[in-house]
Amino acid sequence: MSSWTRWHGPAMARLWGFCWLVVGFWRAALACPTSCKCSASRIWCSDPSPGIVAFPRLEPNSADPENITEIYIANQKRLEIINEDDVEAYAGLKNLTIVDSGLKFVAHKAFLKNSNLQHINFTRNKLTSLSRKHFRHLDLSELILVGNPFTCSCDIMWIKTLQETKSSPETQDLYCLNESSKNIPLANLQIPNCGLPSANLAAPNLTVEEGKSITLSCSVAGDPVPNLYWDVGNLVSKHMNETSHMQGSLRITNISSDDSGKQISCVAENLVGEDQDSVNLTVHFAPTITFLESPTSDHHWCIPFTVKGNPKPALQWFYNGAILNESKYICTKIHVTNHTEYHGCLQLDNPTHMNNGDYKLVAKNEYGKDEKQISAHFMGWPGIDDGANPNYPDVIYEDYGTAANDIGDTTNRSNEIPSTDVADKSGREHLSVYAVVVIASVVGFCLLVMLFLLKLARHSKFGMKDFSWFGFGKVKSRQGVGPASVISNDDDSASPLHHISNGSNTPSSSEGGPDAVIIGMTKIPVIENPQYFGITNSQLKPDTWPRGSPKTA
């Protein structure tokens, strides 16, 4: 049980992985031809015994040949031919090496489907001729042909031309055998009537309006006589060509704006090489706004758009039906230009609710115009839910106060366009907000100071005499009744409650008991303070005693 547990975990997973790996190698070995070794990305055949007699192929359903990137073949004397379908299965092939073998012939279309092929090495084989048609569609960085018994003919002059035009200073030491079986350096080979052809296109520059038709003419020359063909790439417009010996013509009808900027070439090709003459097709057409979207927030707010047109169209924005004069706060920016297509945005710097509304883009050139409109919402109105959409057209029109102008090309010229009243309005709103904030701060500070002073006054330790500071009269004591404090009516002029205390409704002193303070019409009970009344007689003024009462020591 313990041994099963020990093998049931990660160790078991590793064991199964190793088994699958062994099975994979075993299947690859079964699919690999005799005298060869194969892996997931490489095939190499170097064992001369028994050797291979045909180009190596993997067995069907054994492995994916598209994953093979390198094929190496050496010492295979019985390998003589590469047929058209031998290499086509290896679509991912990059390096092909066949050295010290018996290779004599390569089919013209052998590498037609091997567009990834970059390095070819045919060193020390039995090649007597090799056409450039094998390789003209490939972007080769290396082609090694040393040690082959080439026959001196016009068929291999392209190799000499290739060596002469090669950018690398390193050249191969190549030879060919003449009629006397003498080795001639390929660099010194001269063959009469064997040279590069030439091509001449009638229209070096071509400009045409969309929907029109044109005809191009081309003439070629060379010896050997070249073939003429047209290279139109991925031309969208309808076209047809005619050739007659050394002349050719190409007619393009109902030309599309999508073909503006495309290259059309007339090509002359013979055994030695090829020559071509090309023209760029320029199509003029009216602008089209292919993309206009609601604003997005990035570093700035942006209303993105895409406009096509040739010549380059002038752009004009309208806000709620009025011309939008651009400024450093609102301006058009072109970010990407692709021949006749322009990608950009209307950039807005910190827009507010005053910028909400309808924005219309008008693109115009001499062939026509196009326009599109979107609704933009940047911020809700103050005091209103963000989802609400109040209708304030008159206010918005008055605030912007825009005037019509011909901006021409407004792209990337934000500093040259006058500013609008929108920025000034926004600045005045900000200034008003700041003023309100300052005033509110001052008022709040004053209220805090008043509250502080009132709090300080409530906690002060005033004696009963201190009430005279507020004009409440003098403090008196009545004999026989006990210590009491009242507001005297003797000095009516000094009492601020004179008009109340002398009224007919003044409460009697008998109401509320002896210990009370009468203020106007209100009687307030007073708690005696023995220490306060324990003062010496000399400290009391004589007139503080009630009239008619005897003064006691």
Side-chain angles (χ1 to χ4, degrees), residues 117-235:
L117 198 55
Q118 298 176 358
H119 303 272
I120 296 179
N121 185 354
F122 287 160
T123 300
R124 295 183 298 277
N125 283 282
K126 306 297 181 181
L127 293 171
T128 58
S129 179
L130 193 64
S131 173
R132 62 177 300 275
K133 293 182 180 180
H134 296 100
F135 317 105
R136 67 180 183 183
H137 67 287
L138 300 177
D139 185 18
L140 291 177
S141 59
E142 185 178 52
L143 177 61
I144 304 176
L145 302 172
V146 176
N148 286 280
F150 290 114
T151 300
C152 295
S153 67
C154 197
D155 292 341
I156 64 168
M157 284 296 290
W158 70 271
I159 302 176
K160 176 186 176 182
T161 304
L162 180 65
Q163 290 288 99
E164 293 173 348
T165 58
K166 193 175 181 180
S167 58
S168 175
E170 298 181 3
T171 58
Q172 302 176 51
D173 191 12
L174 300 176
Y175 294 87
C176 65
L177 297 174
N178 61 11
E179 296 177 352
S180 302
S181 300
K182 181 180 180 181
N183 278 336
I184 305 296
L186 195 60
N188 300 331
L189 183 62
Q190 298 292 333
I191 298 179
N193 302 322
C194 186
L196 287 169
S198 62
N200 184 26
L201 192 60
N205 292 300
L206 191 60
T207 301
V208 64
E209 187 177 349
E210 184 181 21
K212 301 293 184 179
S213 300
I214 58 169
T215 301
L216 303 179
S217 299
C218 179
S219 60
V220 298
D223 192 6
V225 177
N227 295 320
L228 186 153
Y229 67 92
W230 294 91
D231 184 4
V232 296
N234 54 348
L235 196 67

Side-chain angles (χ1 to χ4, degrees), residues 439-460:
I439 292 173
S441 301
V442 173
V443 171
F445 178 77
C446 293
L447 290 175
L448 289 175
V449 172
M450 292 178 65
L451 290 174
F452 175 77
L453 292 177
L454 290 175
K455 190 74 174 178
L456 184 63
R458 290 182 59 186
H459 286 78
S460 299

Side-chain angles (χ1 to χ4, degrees), residues 273-533:
E274 68 179 33
D275 183 38
Q276 68 178 25
D277 194 8
S278 304
V279 62
N280 289 321
L281 182 62
T282 302
V283 182
H284 284 173
F285 57 97
T288 302
I289 301 174
T290 60
F291 177 78
L292 183 65
E293 198 174 68
S294 299
T296 58
S297 177
D298 195 2
H299 182 65
H300 300 279
W301 279 90
C302 169
I303 300 179
F305 65 85
T306 299
V307 176
K308 293 181 65 177
N310 194 27
K312 186 177 183 179
L315 305 180
Q316 174 70 71
W317 288 91
F318 289 80
Y319 174 75
N320 285 345
I323 294 177
L324 177 62
N325 295 327
E326 300 190 24
S327 68
K328 63 180 179 180
Y329 301 103
I330 303 178
C331 58
T332 302
K333 297 286 186 181
I334 299 297
H335 302 302
V336 178
T337 300
N338 184 14
H339 191 58
T340 61
E341 194 171 52
Y342 307 91
H343 305 270
C345 71
L346 178 65
Q347 180 176 296
L348 298 95
D349 189 6
N350 297 323
T352 66
H353 60 278
M354 300 299 296
N355 300 100
N356 296 344
D358 295 329
Y359 288 81
K360 181 172 69 175
L361 174 62
V362 176
K364 183 179 181 181
N365 66 11
E366 58 189 277
Y367 294 95
K369 72 174 184 178
D370 190 21
E371 61 182 47
K372 275 192 178 181
Q373 178 174 301
I374 56 99
S375 295
H377 181 79
F378 302 99
M379 185 184 297
W381 286 79
I384 302 177
D385 293 339
D386 191 57
N389 186 21
N391 187 14
Y392 297 121
D394 297 334
V395 176
I396 295 177
Y397 273 92
E398 291 176 2
D399 289 341
Y400 270 84
T402 55
N405 71 322
D406 184 10
I407 65 170
D409 180 13
T410 62
T411 57
N412 295 321
R413 296 176 57 189
S414 59
N415 295 329
E416 298 178 7
I417 301 172
S419 61
T420 64
D421 293 336
V422 183
D424 296 336
K425 180 66 178 178
S426 178
R428 290 195 295 270
E429 289 179 354
H430 293 168
L431 184 60
S432 300
V433 172
Y434 296 153
V436 171
V437 171
V438 171
I439 292 173
S441 301
V442 173
V443 171
F445 178 77
C446 293
L447 290 175
L448 289 175
V449 172
M450 292 178 65
L451 290 174
F452 175 77
L453 292 177
L454 290 175
K455 190 74 174 178
L456 184 63
R458 290 182 59 186
H459 286 78
S460 299
K461 295 181 179 180
F462 292 116
M464 294 304 295
K465 289 183 179 182
D466 294 334
F467 278 105
S468 62
W469 298 355
F470 299 92
F472 287 163
K474 299 177 182 180
V475 179
K476 294 185 180 182
S477 175
R478 292 182 296 175
Q479 186 178 8
V481 181
S485 298
V486 297
I487 297 179
S488 175
N489 293 330
D490 293 348
D491 191 0
D492 294 337
S493 63
S495 176
L497 306 177
H498 172 72
H499 62 285
I500 298 177
S501 61
N502 291 336
S504 59
N505 295 327
T506 303
S508 172
S509 62
S510 63
E511 296 176 5
D515 299 330
V517 175
I518 301 174
I519 301 177
M521 300 176 61
T522 306
K523 186 187 315 180
I524 303 175
V526 176
I527 300 175
E528 295 182 355
N529 185 354
Q531 294 181 359
Y532 179 83
F533 290 98

